[in-house]
Amino acid sequence: MESLDLRVLADALAWHQAGHAVTLVTVVETWGSAPRPSGALLALRDDGHLSGSVSGGCVEDDLIARTRASVRSGDTSTKSTPSMVTYGVSKDEAARFGLPCGGTLRLLQEPLMDTAWLKELLTRTAAHELVTRTVHLPTGRVTLTPGLRTSKARFTEHEWSSTFGPQWRLLLVGAGQLSQAVAHIATLLDFAVLICDPREEYASAWPHQSARVNHLPGMPDDVVRDMQPDAHTAIVALTHDPKLDDMALMEALKSNAFYVGALGSRRNQTARKARLGMHFGLSEIELSRLHGPVGLDIGAQTPAEIAVSIVAHIVEHKYCAGATLSANKTIAESSTRCCL
């Protein structure tokens, strides 16, 4: 499953190849309660069709109207360099476009002329690479460089840069039905999903259409250790086999992963923590990081419902801890954080 931004870029490429004039519109700066964050992307076709959103519908109608007016007037010429447009400078304009609380958007408009960079970006992100795209504003020249999960969008007088690809990782230990449901939802939310299950009968049964899920060979403890979990990594043990789950957890709870969870009842979790402390020497601080039973308590019963509760809990902690943790934070520091 493609992320929203990558789907917008794929639509832009397809439209351009079909002979349409296409403009990419990006939110580069916001003030007040802007409806969409910096980096939100929209592709606008010469006949008014669009993909994506820069305001949740507030200013898109105006952008479409301008495009259609140009077509009706016969002015189909397109500037070859980027331009800036701002919505919501005054209270009256903010009210006119439905921007909440006087919010203001600054948008970068890029006529899509050269698609070589776009083809390369889509190819590299399809291979699970993180790619930073930098636009030189005076000329419109685009350069692509390797991205980092800690990369943030940046806007200056001369440049705009943003990163495409999965910035958050989710390792699922176990390839059963529940893991399939969790993986499906997580990919919709732009997680790079990794699966570890040394049981061949489970790994071989994974749906072929899950092309964006990477399967990692080996035993769970080795996989967790080798992937070097950071503050943008979540790890969830779902095999229901204590031997496999405990192997993953003994490494995960010592890592910098922002979320570690395990399937099982409260009684099983109590027994699990006793095993991990007694046999693997994990400290009380490390054990306190384990979310078990995993997920939010929403009364979930089916695999799909349980998957919703798990991913929702991960997202909650992603914004609670992940947004403020830097790569050099220690486990002791991160374990004291809580969601407000």
Side-chain angles (χ1 to χ4, degrees), residues 105 111 140 209 254 257:
L105 300 173
Q209 63 268 28
K254 294 184 290 186

Side-chain angles (χ1 to χ4, degrees), residues 28 38 133-135 151-156 159-163:
V28 297
S38 177
R133 182 179 81 104
T134 301
V135 184
S151 299
K152 296 184 181 298
R154 185 171 62 89
F155 175 57
T156 69
E159 285 187 345
W160 161 255
S161 64
S162 56
T163 300

